Amino acid sequence: MSETAKKNIKKGDVLIREGDRGDSAYVIESGSVEILILRGGNLMQIGTRGPGSIIGEMAMIDDKPRTATIRAIEDCTVIEISRADFAHRVESADPIVKMVMRVIMARYRDMIARTQFMQMPAYMTAAVENAENSGELHDLAVNAIKIHNELKAALEKGQLVLFFQPIVAVQEMKIAGFEALMRWRHPEKGLISPGVFIPVAEESGLITEMSHWALGVSCDALKAIHAVVNPGTTDAHGPFVSVNFSVKDFSAGNFSKQIKSVLQSKKINPANIHLEITESLLMEAPGAAKDALEECRSFGTSVSIDDFGTGYSSLSYLHHFPIDSLKIDQSFIRAMSRDPASEILVKSIIGLAHNMNIKVIAEGIETPEEAAMLKKMGCEECQGYWFAKPMPLEDLLTFVKNWTPPLIA
Ligand code: C2E
Ligand code: CA
Ligand code: CA
């Protein structure tokens, strides 16, 4: 994807020149600009635009010459949106949005072609622009572009970090593996939770780059962990690292190839990497996801269904999918100690999963009672604050070295 970036424009600078070809539009973040057209050799001002306005948006459609000159009346900051970036956004949008965008763009192009003959007066073009620049939709779009740009910069500046949370094999009371969980170390706002920025990244398509990054960092972490756990050996059965993926990661169509090439270049045994996919992802894109996961399993990576029980799938549906384990969502674990019906539910999920040869991981264990109940039910692995919170790699290595299994009834 091409760059979207902030630019500072000095008072009097020309951002867009009439007659030039351009492939970027701009969102004014601060300051204001004037719109000028050349008439009889003189520049005539036909309007001004301030923060929140989009200018030069025709470039999103084609590379026809610019129809006006845009000059800064005061110092401005603008966010540049390139045509390639815009096309990428349209491509990665929800199918309905994508379809509507295509129709609108085709009609807009058509309208422009016709009005060129009619010589639409400038005040009319300005009115059209004003109508498009107002409203909530516009604010949302501008906000999403802003966060997208900040997030992209964060990725480039190394502000994204992975924390790791231990997953414990409760029958043997050994560390089975770790889940990689993303954090944004914001210079002013501090640690930002993935619940805030992952949805934005999914929306804008940046998630693919972030997932790729997370997989690479997880591979490096795995090597560091193995160096502590099995110094001098490369044990295929040592602890695993589980990495989260989103529905957008599958839309490119080369998911399994990408995974394979990262694992190969990092020289990681695929058995030590688990892929976590939410249950709702499987429901959204069963065909594509199923094939991609099948391929990943064929070269040895394990696949876990995340947040099991929160989507719409039924247990009977599970055998359609190529999976090795399922992670019972923490809401069930929370309910379990309060309510006998939930306990029965968890017990039957474990039983049915085992009948299908699927391992069970319970999430969100906060008390020794929960751990004891799950151990008794035959659940293989548990993850939760009671064992350990997610932590930076450095702390994790110390944690692994000093690990003494807690006592469970
Ligand atoms: P998740 O995959 O279900 O991750 C488990 C979440 O439960 C983590 O929240 C973890 O910190 C939290 N947790 C673990 N043990 C306990 C516990 O005992 N009690 C409670 N109350 N919570 C516990 P976190 O780290 O805030 O992540 C939230 C979600 O963000 C994740 O949910 C996952 O969906 C998403 N996410 C995080 N990292 C990534 C990533 O690298 N890629 C993608 N696509 N999504 C990610
Ligand atoms: Ca997860
Ligand atoms: Ca989960």
Side-chain angles (χ1 to χ4, degrees), residues 132-154:
E132 277 163 4
N133 286 348
S134 63
E136 208 179 316
L137 204 64
H138 174 261
D139 291 351
L140 284 175
V142 169
N143 211 22
I145 292 169
K146 255 194 207 160
I147 302 180
H148 166 89
N149 287 343
E150 272 186 46
L151 203 49
K152 192 168 165 60

Side-chain angles (χ1 to χ4, degrees), residues 2 4 55 78 131 135 176 215 237 268 283-284 293 307 340 378 395:
S2 78
T4 51
I55 46 180
V78 297
L215 180 61
H237 304 291
I268 291 290
M283 303 309 291
E284 266 179 65
L293 295 175
D307 301 345
D395 298 355

Side-chain angles (χ1 to χ4, degrees), residues 162 165 179-183 193-195 198 202 207 214 244-246 276 306-307 330 334 363-366 383-386 390:
L162 284 184
Q165 186 178 29
E179 178 173 3
L181 294 155
M182 225 182 266
R183 303 284 180 269
S193 125
I198 295 281
E202 285 176 340
I207 191 75
N244 291 282
F245 289 91
S246 295
E276 285 194 19
D306 202 359
D307 301 345
Q330 51 174 287
R334 221 40 16 88
E363 284 193 293
I365 311 314
E366 291 185 356
Q383 173 183 358
Y385 293 169
W386 185 64

Side-chain angles (χ1 to χ4, degrees), residues 16 19-25 56-67 81-84 86-87 104-116:
I16 289 175
D20 283 359
R21 286 175 188 274
D23 60 3
S24 297
E57 79 284 357
M58 279 302 300
M60 297 298 100
I61 295 180
D62 49 36
D63 62 352
K64 292 252 163 60
R66 302 281 197 183
T67 53
I81 314 163
S82 71
R83 191 185 305 133
F86 183 70
I104 292 176
M105 284 169 73
R107 293 208 178 135
Y108 199 32
R109 193 179 279 132
D110 193 47
M111 180 189 88
I112 296 296
R114 280 184 284 120
T115 52
Q116 267 170 353

Side-chain angles (χ1 to χ4, degrees), residues 70-245:
I70 309 280
R71 188 165 66 189
I73 310 176
E74 51 185 331
D75 289 357
C76 298
T77 42
V78 297
I79 299 167
E80 184 173 10
I81 314 163
S82 71
R83 191 185 305 133
D85 178 34
F86 183 70
H88 175 82
R89 276 168 206 285
V90 172
E91 272 322 300
S92 55
D94 171 281
I96 301 282
V97 176
K98 192 152 77 179
M99 185 186 77
V100 172
M101 254 343 272
R102 285 213 187 100
V103 172
I104 292 176
M105 284 169 73
R107 293 208 178 135
Y108 199 32
R109 193 179 279 132
D110 193 47
M111 180 189 88
I112 296 296
R114 280 184 284 120
T115 52
Q116 267 170 353
F117 291 106
M118 287 161 29
Q119 289 295 324
M120 178 161 37
Y123 69 85
M124 265 181 74
T125 21
V128 170
E129 267 181 48
N130 274 339
E132 277 163 4
N133 286 348
S134 63
E136 208 179 316
L137 204 64
H138 174 261
D139 291 351
L140 284 175
V142 169
N143 211 22
I145 292 169
K146 255 194 207 160
I147 302 180
H148 166 89
N149 287 343
E150 272 186 46
L151 203 49
K152 192 168 165 60
L155 183 60
E156 280 155 11
K157 287 185 203 149
Q159 287 172 6
L160 292 185
V161 286
L162 284 184
F163 275 31
F164 298 89
Q165 186 178 29
I167 299 174
V168 176
V170 277
Q171 305 302 332
E172 306 86 25
M173 286 311 276
K174 277 165 70 176
I175 296 179
F178 309 87
E179 178 173 3
L181 294 155
M182 225 182 266
R183 303 284 180 269
W184 179 357
R185 230 189 262 281
H186 197 284
E188 287 122 40
K189 296 177 195 152
L191 268 196
I192 302 181
S193 125
V196 174
F197 63 86
I198 295 281
V200 178
E202 285 176 340
E203 199 66 36
S204 72
L206 196 60
I207 191 75
T208 331
E209 250 173 273
M210 287 163 58
S211 302
H212 193 256
W213 169 84
L215 180 61
V217 174
S218 295
C219 289
D220 296 339
L222 191 67
K223 284 185 199 164
I225 294 165
H226 276 225
V228 169
V229 183
N230 323 300
T233 66
T234 49
D235 185 357
H237 304 291
F240 61 83
V241 173
S242 208
V243 185
N244 291 282
F245 289 91

